[in-house]
Amino acid sequence: MRVLFWGTATFALPSLRSLADAGHEIVGVVTQPDRRAGRGRRPRPTPVKEAALAAEYPVFTPERPGRPAFLARMRGLRPDLSVVAAYGHFLSREALDLPALGSINVHASLLPELRGAAPVHWAIARGHPVTGVTIMRMVKAMDAGPILRQDRTDILSDETAGELYERLARIGAGGLVRVLEMMDAGALEEHDQDHARATFAPRLSRRGARLRWARPAEEVARWMRAMDPAPGAWSELGGSPVKLFRPRVVEGDALQGGERPEPGTVIGADPGNGLRVATGEGSVEVGEVQPAGRRRMPARDWLRGRAGRVGQRLR
């Protein structure tokens, strides 16, 4: 099958590789333009662009993929199907209908749950025990098309968004290849979503990743894992932001002098025993931190530098 692939982030890489390994012809790869990043603010190609160039696929980086001239160029590639995975741009009806067999998407949730840009983060943050990948036919509405296949997986108790993201990328790649096998055989069935059950997973910002210590310890820990590695759950300590990772919920009430401390209060700051913070219910041990302008490090190393003290409050 002649496939036009649309993708940007690392989530898309296993799908791109699996299509090629299964014998499908990649007639072109559409990805986001290079963006300035890093301390030098130099243009940086997307992960998909780097992989596509290494594989010697034709690469296209339109700022506006809906423009008629660009669509005419894609039509000239004569694709049978478009496959979209973590592309990061809404596609017009003209773009979706361009290939003879239309367009399908690899989405990291069990639709209709968690439609939107950040399904992996929100699955962890909201305490979902199970998530998965949906292969769906694309329509103009966001993540609302008929379902072609779903693969489920448990969310592990200590899993971060980054770890789950990588697992779901591999699961999605396998499901995608099987969908194309069924499509080739004329045996693919489509099932409409139950739109009344839809939930949403909006894009996350650094500002929105701030910790809310008044929540129970379990929720605080989930939030840290959901924001790991990016954008990173953070608080201010002494007026300076610090990101916190690798939480462990401590059973029982967090008490200080027989009283429950204010949420966010540091109740343990020993290089030998680590960093412990009170929440609205219970407390959380923090395994790793990243102070502003510095690398991510074990919390114990941070404490050896006298960075945190008992009684200080994270806000």
Side-chain angles (χ1 to χ4, degrees), residues 213-214 237 261-267 277-280 312-315:
W213 294 103
L237 182 66
E262 288 291 321
T265 301
V266 176
I267 58 175
V277 184
T279 70
Q312 286 186 303
R313 192 167 171 204
L314 289 153
R315 300 179 185 273

Side-chain angles (χ1 to χ4, degrees), residues 27-314:
V27 299
V29 173
V30 186
T31 189
Q32 296 275 357
D34 296 0
R35 305 296 185 196
R36 295 186 182 277
R39 292 188 176 182
R41 304 304 295 168
R42 296 179 179 178
R44 181 177 297 176
T46 71
V48 167
K49 180 179 179 180
E50 290 182 325
L53 290 174
E56 299 184 341
Y57 300 138
V59 176
F60 306 92
T61 58
E63 285 283 357
R64 298 182 180 179
R67 286 185 169 177
F70 174 73
L71 294 180
R73 191 176 183 188
M74 295 302 96
R75 196 172 291 110
L77 299 175
R78 298 181 293 107
D80 299 313
L81 179 73
S82 277
V83 171
V84 182
Y87 175 51
H89 201 298
F90 286 110
L91 299 183
S92 65
R93 167 58 64 187
E94 292 75 17
L96 295 177
D97 293 343
L98 188 152
L101 297 175
S103 302
I104 64 174
N105 177 250
V106 184
H107 183 77
S109 82
L110 297 173
L111 293 171
E113 291 185 343
L114 299 174
R115 295 176 179 177
V120 178
H121 300 79
W122 287 108
I124 294 175
R126 293 174 184 166
H128 290 202
V130 174
T131 189
V133 178
T134 301
I135 314 296
M136 66 172 175
R137 184 168 296 282
M138 297 182 72
V139 297
K140 192 65 176 76
M142 181 182 67
D143 300 330
I147 293 171
L148 308 179
R149 180 185 175 92
Q150 289 189 318
D151 291 283
R152 301 167 66 88
T153 186
D154 292 338
I155 298 177
L156 306 180
S157 62
D158 60 348
E159 198 162 24
T160 68
E163 292 161 350
L164 181 57
Y165 185 88
E166 292 182 3
R167 273 207 306 125
L168 292 177
R170 296 191 295 270
I171 291 171
L176 174 64
V177 169
R178 287 186 280 276
V179 163
L180 266 63
E181 290 173 354
M182 297 291 285
M183 192 176 287
D184 271 338
L188 188 64
E189 296 183 359
E190 302 185 7
H191 304 279
D192 289 337
Q193 295 186 39
D194 181 356
H195 301 296
R197 292 180 47 243
T199 61
F200 296 90
R203 189 179 306 278
L204 288 155
S205 66
R206 179 195 175 279
R207 181 178 180 181
R210 189 168 191 159
L211 282 154
R212 303 293 186 265
W213 294 103
R215 295 175 178 173
E218 183 59 46
E219 291 185 25
V220 171
R222 286 204 308 263
W223 190 255
M224 287 186 198
R225 291 190 289 107
M227 301 301 113
D228 185 353
W234 65 279
S235 279
E236 284 190 356
L237 182 66
S240 180
V242 57
K243 295 181 180 180
L244 301 108
F245 307 97
R246 298 295 177 187
R248 185 180 73 84
V249 174
V250 179
E251 299 295 337
D253 285 336
L255 299 178
Q256 196 172 40
E259 296 183 0
R260 181 177 288 109
E262 288 291 321
T265 301
V266 176
I267 58 175
D270 183 284
N273 297 317
L275 177 67
R276 184 178 172 191
V277 184
T279 70
E281 296 177 17
S283 62
V284 171
E285 286 186 359
V286 179
E288 296 179 4
V289 301
Q290 185 176 7
R294 299 175 65 185
R295 63 177 178 83
R296 183 167 166 170
M297 66 183 75
R300 293 180 178 182
D301 291 349
W302 184 60
L303 293 172
R304 288 189 183 96
R306 301 181 183 277
R309 299 187 304 278
V310 171
Q312 286 186 303
R313 192 167 171 204
L314 289 153

